């Protein structure tokens, strides 16, 4: 069975098709600048063959029609009818969804209802779903939510100490994101540990442009660093993560900044970028190595925040089996991993293997490290395809 995975953004659609019998990617690409004067399509298939095209792409439905044409012209599919299902990344499932879900009218209504919690994402995720329905109404569609894996977090960990009615009336609580990635790498870590996932205690670190950590006990998420929105928690490329909320009132009153301006500053002008002017970790490291003080500081703040969370989550989880690094930085930055894992022997018995860390091997801990250290590349699209396949099989 072939599964199409879609990640729809405001002006783009990322796509990938998997052959689930062989669990391999058949093709992938991106349709960009939808709704602009000229749109772009990039399509990679048959191990590296690449096509780029320019065309006016009026809206997401036109994008989906173009995708079908492209797949037929390049003999990837005879038509969309050949697909077993479409799996959609949907950012926010609120408290409604703790599992990937077969899409119907009621599910669409619920995704709409939680859209105020993710106004930049859920509406465009829905546009992708509706575009598929328009082009091929009989195709089975599945929603895989970024928040779903974290729905197992207990109430004392997801509640904020705010007036209770903000939770009951306004859905203010910690939801967490990157759930598909945390879940995927947790299952991969279980394979390496040769244990059932339900017996694994893990701390997973998704370190990309957005960064988050999850505390996983017996295979279930019991805490995570992102909150109501993806702004809370670790330091990110351009997001501040945890700050004293009173800073917002202080800046607003003293610098006369509006809520929208502060929203923009905290989300887009803070994090690594706010401290040293650069949000790309590769460049931050280069500048830090050449002696730039702000870049060095940015790197230290980034890693220190992660260490604090490791401390907190090892208490939350209890006996931790492994710490898992993933995401662009987690997978590729031996410097960040070294800084994060340093000086954790006395407290947590963590011993980094410098050699395998430099080589980005899967196992980067020494044999006698009490907590194992793994580098596991994330694959959110494959996880969405697997979850979609599971639902389609069980529905038949
Ligand atoms: P996104 O969250 O957008 O999916 P990624 O997971 O691709 O992002 O991560 C992007 C981050 O990974 C960037 O900060 C980038 O600099 C960093 N990164 C990628 N390769 C390296 C590397 N070799 N060393 C350090 N950082 C890296």
């Amino acid at each position: 069975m072939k599964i199409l995975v879609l990640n729809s953004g405001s002006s783009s659609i990322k796509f990938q098709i998997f052959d689930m019998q062989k669990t391999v990617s058949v093709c992938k690409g991106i349709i960009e600048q939808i709704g602009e004067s000229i749109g772009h399509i990039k399509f990679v298939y048959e191990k590296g063959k690449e096509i780029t095209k320019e065309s006016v792409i009026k809206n997401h439905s036109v994008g989906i029609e173009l995708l079908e044409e492209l797949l037929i012209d390049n003999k990837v599919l005879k038509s969309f009818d050949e697909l077993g299902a479409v799996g959609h990344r949907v950012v926010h499932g609120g408290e409604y969804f703790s599992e990937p879900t077969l899409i119907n009218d009621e599910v669409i209504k619920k995704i709409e209802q939680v859209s105020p919690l993710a106004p930049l994402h859920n509406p465009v995720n829905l546009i992708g779903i509706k575009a598929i329905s328009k082009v091929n109404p009989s195709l089975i569609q599945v929603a895989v939510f970024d928040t779903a894996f974290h729905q197992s977090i207990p109430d004392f960990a997801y509640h904020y100490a705010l007036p209770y009615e903000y939770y009951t009336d306004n859905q203010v609580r910690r939801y967490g994101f990157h759930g598909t990635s945390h879940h995927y790498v947790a299952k991969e870590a279980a394979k390496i540990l040769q244990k059932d996932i339900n017996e694994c205690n893990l701390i997973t670190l998704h370190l990309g442009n957005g960064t988050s950590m999850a505390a996983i006990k017996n295979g279930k998420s019991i805490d995570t660093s992102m909150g109501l929105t993806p702004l809370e928690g670790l330091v990110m490329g351009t997001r501040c993560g945890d700050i004293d909320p009173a800073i917002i009132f202080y800046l607003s009153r003293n610098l006369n900044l509006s809520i929208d301006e502060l929203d923009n500053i905290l989300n887009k002008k803070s994090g690594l970028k706010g401290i040293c002017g650069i949000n790309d970790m590769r460049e931050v490291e280069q500048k830090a190595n050449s002696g730039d003080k702000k870049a060095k500081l940015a790197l230290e703040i980034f890693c220190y925040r992660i260490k604090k969370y490791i401390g907190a989550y090892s208490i939350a989880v209890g006996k931790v089996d492994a710490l898992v690094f993933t995401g662009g930085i987690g997978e590729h930055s031996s410097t960040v991993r070294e800084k994060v894992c340093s000086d954790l022997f006395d407290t947590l018995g963590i011993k980094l293997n410098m050699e395998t860390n430099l080589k980005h091997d899967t196992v980067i801990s020494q044999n006698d490290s009490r907590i194992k250290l793994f580098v596991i590349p994330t694959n959110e699209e494959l996880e969405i395809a697997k979850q979609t396949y599971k639902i389609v099989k069980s529905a038949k």
Side-chain angles (χ1 to χ4, degrees):
M1 184 190 291
K2 289 194 177 109
I3 304 269
L4 168 64
V5 173
L6 291 186
N7 182 353
S8 309
S10 54
S11 63
S12 71
I13 306 171
K14 284 191 199 140
F15 61 89
Q16 191 159 177
I17 294 180
F18 291 90
D19 179 333
M20 298 315 291
Q21 265 76 36
K22 299 180 195 145
T23 332
V24 290
S25 168
V26 176
C27 69
K28 66 176 179 179
I30 183 163
I31 302 165
E32 285 179 295
Q33 282 100 26
I34 296 172
E36 292 179 27
S37 56
I38 191 83
H40 292 90
I41 305 175
K42 186 175 157 192
F43 177 61
V44 183
Y45 65 117
E46 279 182 21
K47 291 193 186 112
K49 274 194 199 168
E50 188 175 309
I51 294 175
T52 49
K53 266 177 106 168
E54 284 191 346
S55 165
V56 181
I57 310 165
K58 210 171 76 190
N59 53 41
H60 285 66
S61 296
V62 173
I64 295 290
E65 281 166 17
L66 281 173
L67 172 61
E68 187 174 18
E69 262 174 48
L70 201 63
L71 296 169
I72 296 167
D73 290 350
N74 293 288
K75 302 192 173 41
V76 177
L77 294 179
K78 290 193 188 80
S79 79
F80 269 174
D81 292 336
E82 216 184 298
L83 292 169
V86 182
H88 293 267
R89 174 186 182 220
V90 180
V91 166
H92 220 303
E95 288 192 331
Y96 289 126
F97 301 105
S98 55
E99 296 279 341
T101 305
L102 207 55
I103 295 173
N104 56 29
D105 289 347
E106 199 189 325
V107 170
I108 289 180
K109 230 184 257 166
K110 285 182 175 155
I111 297 173
E112 276 165 358
Q113 275 169 23
V114 295
S115 285
L117 294 170
L120 299 179
H121 294 102
N122 272 30
V124 290
N125 298 155
L126 277 168
I127 288 174
I129 293 169
K130 288 176 183 166
I132 288 283
S133 303
K134 192 170 167 208
V135 174
N136 193 329
S138 60
L139 256 179
I140 297 173
Q141 300 194 68
V142 172
V144 181
F145 300 91
D146 273 18
T147 49
F149 180 57
H150 301 303
Q151 276 297 298
S152 46
I153 293 177
D155 55 2
F156 57 82
Y158 72 63
H159 267 283
Y160 292 112
L162 288 169
Y164 196 79
E165 60 271 22
Y166 293 133
Y167 168 63
T168 47
D169 301 353
N170 303 93
Q171 296 82 48
V172 174
R173 53 158 283 180
R174 172 174 290 112
Y175 291 96
F177 299 87
H178 290 145
T180 308
S181 174
H182 288 292
H183 197 185
Y184 174 80
V185 296
K187 287 189 281 187
E188 292 299 304
K191 287 184 202 161
I192 302 167
L193 291 164
Q194 297 186 320
K195 279 172 91 168
D196 190 289
I197 176 74
N198 297 322
E199 288 166 11
C200 287
N201 290 343
L202 305 162
I203 298 174
T204 49
L205 298 88
H206 179 107
L207 310 178
N209 276 316
T211 58
S212 72
M213 282 171 61
I216 298 173
K217 188 167 184 150
N218 298 327
K220 303 252 182 309
S221 174
I222 58 158
D223 207 349
T224 193
S225 57
M226 285 178 166
L228 173 77
T229 75
L231 185 56
E232 191 180 344
L234 305 178
V235 175
M236 314 191 201
T238 61
R239 288 174 238 160
C240 57
D242 297 338
I243 57 166
D244 178 347
I247 292 171
I248 297 167
F249 327 134
Y250 176 80
L251 290 178
S252 171
R253 289 183 189 124
N254 286 284
L255 301 181
N256 211 13
L257 293 169
S258 69
I259 286 294
D260 287 340
E261 284 168 319
L262 282 163
D263 184 335
N264 190 42
I265 291 166
L266 266 46
N267 273 294
K268 303 209 172 119
K269 295 185 175 171
S270 300
L272 297 173
K273 189 173 187 181
I275 299 159
C276 71
I278 302 162
N279 64 298
D280 188 297
M281 185 53 93
R282 276 166 294 206
E283 289 179 46
V284 174
E285 283 184 21
Q286 275 167 12
K287 274 192 115 180
N289 284 338
S290 63
D292 185 284
K293 279 192 180 151
K294 286 185 183 166
K296 271 187 180 169
L297 179 65
L299 193 56
E300 293 303 330
I301 298 173
F302 183 87
C303 296
Y304 177 66
R305 182 82 52 89
I306 296 172
K307 277 178 107 128
K308 282 211 293 191
Y309 268 88
I310 292 175
Y313 285 178
S314 46
I315 299 290
V317 167
K319 191 180 167 296
V320 181
D321 296 309
L323 223 126
V324 184
F325 289 90
T326 194
I329 299 170
E331 291 164 32
H332 303 292
S333 174
S334 50
T335 306
V336 167
R337 293 192 303 254
E338 185 181 331
K339 281 185 183 296
V340 166
C341 297
S342 65
D343 303 322
L344 293 182
F345 177 69
D346 288 343
T347 45
L348 297 174
I350 284 177
K351 275 193 189 175
L352 179 73
N353 180 328
M354 301 295 237
E355 233 170 82
T356 54
N357 181 46
L358 272 180
K359 290 194 284 180
H360 314 292
D361 281 359
T362 306
V363 180
I364 56 165
S365 47
Q366 294 185 31
N367 289 339
D368 57 346
S369 181
R370 191 147 46 106
I371 296 177
K372 303 286 167 232
L373 305 169
F374 298 150
V375 177
I376 301 180
T378 194
N379 195 336
E380 286 162 288
E381 291 78 14
L382 175 60
E383 180 63 16
I384 293 172
K386 282 182 174 176
Q387 302 273 8
T388 302
Y389 185 51
K390 201 166 139 193
I391 290 206
V392 174
K393 273 201 310 185
S394 63
K396 278 189 175 166

